[in-house]
Amino acid sequence: MSVALVGRARERQCLLDYARADESHFVVVYGRRRVGKTFLVRETLGERLTFSFTGLADQPRRRQLKEFASALLEAGQPPGPPPADWFEAFDRLRRVVAGAPAGKKIVFLDEMPWMDTRGSGFVSALEAFWNGWASARRDVLLIACGSAAAWIARKLFRARGGLYNRVTGRLWLRPFTLGECEELFDARGLAMSRQDQVESYMVFGGIPYYLTLLAPGLGLSQNVDRLCFARQAPLADEFTALYASVFSEPGHHERVVRALAAHGQGMSRGDLLTAVGQSGGALSTVLEELERSDFIRSYRPFGRKQRGTLFQLSDPFSRFSLRFLDPPPGNERYWTDGIGSGARNAWAGNAFEQVCLAHEAQICRALGISGVQTEVSGWRSRTQPGAQIDLVIDRADRVVNLCEAKYSDHEYAITPAYEQRLRERRGLFVAETATRKAVWNTLLTTHGLVPNAQASAVQATVTLADLFGPD
């Protein structure tokens, strides 16, 4: 299997369906930086693109238009001076598309938010191109792509002007699952145990770009040292660059992320208002943008329908960077030297929980309830501070799974003390929620349970192998 064909089967099929449709479509491909948006479009439709242009970061309109003219030249337009403005640029694009051979005309505008510089008139020109010409045809596929979630939402999804309700397709590109990461590792010849693959996910998340940086001839710890801790490591400053590339005012988003990183179990909106000092409206916007970019997740505590939403940092690389690279330790072998340390083990436990939360579908499949209606939430005790469960699966078949993750290099042995804790926590949950459903303690482990006398405290087990299954 070539690397170009790894993962994204559903997303590739969606793009192909739009390209075969009998009407014109305006499709937006969005997602966080480094998740593979451009790669997806080019690998799926590259040879069929009629026109392609990538916006330039932090460049004025004049420079953008000059490069746009170069792209038009490559697409077959005769040489000429750069367009005077975006209206002229899109008028020239219209002529290129109209003169293309019969069949679907595919226009790919990558990093579209970067084209919309202050006072440029880009959005108005885009409206005129789509509303006044392309949408009336049956053979145009316009694909807009970008990492700036705020711009995508404001200018395209919630547009109030001429682009209101004009987007006909949305492709939210999410990070890879563990199963897709394994496909990528196999395609690149990276011989890694599944436990190492899970640990790589705990560091880099399911972000294809980061994973392609892993060198096949090195072990995972060596790769982490090379990419994050070595002198001039390529990802040493990635956290700052990541947020600056996605958000126009990244300081607000970083403050929220740092607050959530310091409260691993999540924070309420009220707690965040106190911690970051933003107004309610501004914080709501930041939270929405962070969640749309797959940096955080929100969930409601068990039994609550609206109020009480909690927010949690879900991006593994952000969590890893703030824990170990802020500031950098100054040891180029930090990750290798830290194997088995207390700090490393504490991080691993929390990071594995996040891996499990990112694979809810795989957990439900392993429990045999893929066809059962479920509601996933969390729970915090009202009477005992610190007593909580990050993953509660409320099932229509009158069962509730209380899931707890345990990261280990071997089978996990439930001790008498932990057995007592599980039983007490289950009793507390039943008492506070007054649920009449059966409540099962469920353990998410790397290698399963030691079959000792205390194992009966757990009614269901999900292992590392289950997390690699399909969603």
Side-chain angles (χ1 to χ4, degrees):
M1 178 188 294
S2 70
V3 175
L5 298 178
V6 168
R8 308 300 190 201
R10 285 193 295 268
E11 292 86 351
R12 291 201 308 269
Q13 189 58 54
C14 283
L15 287 177
L16 292 172
D17 289 343
Y18 285 123
R20 297 179 185 128
D22 292 331
E23 60 275 337
S24 291
H25 280 286
F26 184 176
V27 176
V28 177
V29 180
Y30 64 107
R32 60 159 286 176
R33 186 178 187 242
R34 310 292 204 187
V35 81
K37 302 178 297 296
T38 303
F39 189 73
L40 168 70
V41 175
R42 293 196 179 279
E43 290 299 314
T44 305
L45 301 171
E47 295 182 356
R48 301 176 60 182
L49 295 179
T50 305
F51 176 80
S52 175
F53 175 68
T54 301
L56 306 176
D58 302 320
Q59 293 297 315
R61 180 182 67 170
R62 179 183 301 177
R63 181 66 180 179
Q64 305 273 2
L65 290 171
K66 181 178 180 181
E67 295 302 319
F68 196 88
S70 298
L72 289 168
L73 186 63
E74 292 181 8
Q77 191 184 63
D85 54 34
W86 280 113
F87 282 92
E88 183 181 343
F90 276 104
D91 185 61
R92 293 189 191 181
L93 175 59
R94 178 182 59 80
R95 281 178 269 162
V96 166
V97 174
K104 186 70 74 174
K105 285 78 171 171
I106 303 176
V107 175
F108 179 35
L109 299 181
D110 195 10
E111 296 298 356
M112 183 180 278
W114 289 347
M115 305 176 205
D116 186 30
T117 55
R118 184 181 298 275
S120 67
F122 172 81
V123 172
S124 296
L126 175 64
E127 290 175 6
F129 172 77
W130 180 253
N131 295 341
W133 183 74
S135 63
R137 298 173 63 97
R138 305 183 66 85
D139 60 353
V140 176
L141 172 56
L142 172 60
I143 302 174
C145 192
S147 302
W151 190 95
I152 295 287
R154 185 173 66 254
K155 298 294 183 73
L156 298 182
F157 294 162
R158 295 199 300 265
R160 297 179 181 274
L163 288 180
Y164 173 75
N165 208 28
R166 296 298 184 178
V167 173
T168 60
R170 304 183 185 189
L171 280 181
W172 183 3
L173 218 59
R174 313 300 299 274
F176 272 179
T177 64
L178 279 168
E180 290 172 319
C181 291
E182 187 170 48
E183 286 185 57
L184 179 62
F185 293 145
D186 289 345
R188 292 183 59 81
L190 279 153
M192 297 174 64
S193 69
R194 279 189 161 177
Q195 181 145 353
D196 276 350
Q197 291 180 50
V198 169
E199 186 167 326
S200 76
Y201 203 100
M202 288 153 58
V203 175
F204 302 110
I207 305 303
Y209 172 76
Y210 299 156
L211 301 178
T212 60
L213 298 178
L214 297 174
L218 299 177
L220 178 61
S221 292
Q222 292 174 300
N223 266 306
V224 174
D225 280 332
R226 180 179 64 87
L227 296 175
C228 301
F229 298 103
R231 188 173 303 172
Q232 297 182 336
L235 298 182
D237 300 318
E238 175 69 7
F239 176 82
T240 300
L242 179 62
Y243 286 83
S245 70
V246 176
F247 306 111
S248 57
E249 297 182 12
H252 301 308
H253 302 77
E254 282 194 35
R255 281 194 292 275
V256 170
V257 167
R258 288 177 182 277
L260 292 177
H263 296 79
Q265 306 305 325
M267 300 175 70
S268 68
R269 187 173 181 276
D271 291 339
L272 281 168
L273 280 170
T274 301
V276 302
Q278 288 178 297
S279 67
L283 178 61
S284 296
T285 299
V286 168
L287 291 172
E288 178 187 354
E289 292 171 358
L290 284 169
E291 189 163 13
R292 192 183 293 272
S293 300
D294 281 312
F295 292 119
I296 70 172
R297 75 178 188 111
S298 63
Y299 66 95
R300 292 191 304 274
F302 179 85
R304 300 188 189 180
K305 297 301 181 183
Q306 294 297 332
R307 301 183 62 184
T309 297
L310 298 176
F311 299 90
Q312 189 177 52
L313 177 59
S314 58
D315 176 45
F317 185 75
S318 294
R319 188 181 292 272
F320 170 84
S321 296
L322 292 174
R323 179 73 175 268
F324 297 109
L325 296 172
D326 186 35
N331 176 1
E332 295 191 53
R333 287 176 44 88
Y334 180 81
W335 204 243
T336 300
D337 292 345
I339 293 175
S341 67
R344 177 86 166 265
N345 290 338
W347 163 83
N350 293 328
F352 183 62
E353 288 180 7
Q354 294 304 313
V355 174
C356 293
L357 289 171
H359 291 79
E360 293 173 2
Q362 287 77 10
I363 292 170
C364 288
R365 179 180 291 274
L367 294 172
I369 56 173
S370 294
V372 178
Q373 182 179 355
T374 60
E375 183 173 346
V376 176
S377 62
W379 173 76
R380 281 183 174 181
S381 171
R382 298 189 303 270
T383 61
Q384 291 193 17
Q388 70 175 60
I389 304 164
D390 274 353
L391 181 59
V392 177
I393 304 176
D394 187 10
R395 299 158 44 171
D397 59 355
R398 302 191 59 76
V399 174
V400 177
N401 291 90
L402 306 183
C403 302
E404 181 157 347
K406 288 295 182 182
Y407 187 75
S408 174
D409 292 333
H410 42 72
E411 287 184 327
Y412 185 78
I414 297 179
T415 64
Y418 184 55
E419 177 191 20
Q420 182 67 20
R421 176 188 164 193
L422 286 173
R423 296 190 188 281
E424 290 177 352
R425 189 186 62 174
R426 177 187 176 280
L428 186 63
F429 176 86
V430 171
E432 290 195 9
T433 63
T435 182
R436 295 183 178 180
K437 296 185 177 183
V439 179
W440 291 0
N441 282 322
T442 304
L443 216 56
L444 316 176
T445 71
T446 44
H447 302 292
L449 293 179
V450 173
N452 61 15
Q454 291 78 41
S456 62
V458 172
Q459 287 74 52
T461 305
V462 176
T463 67
L464 178 150
D466 297 319
L467 299 181
F468 282 81
D471 56 18

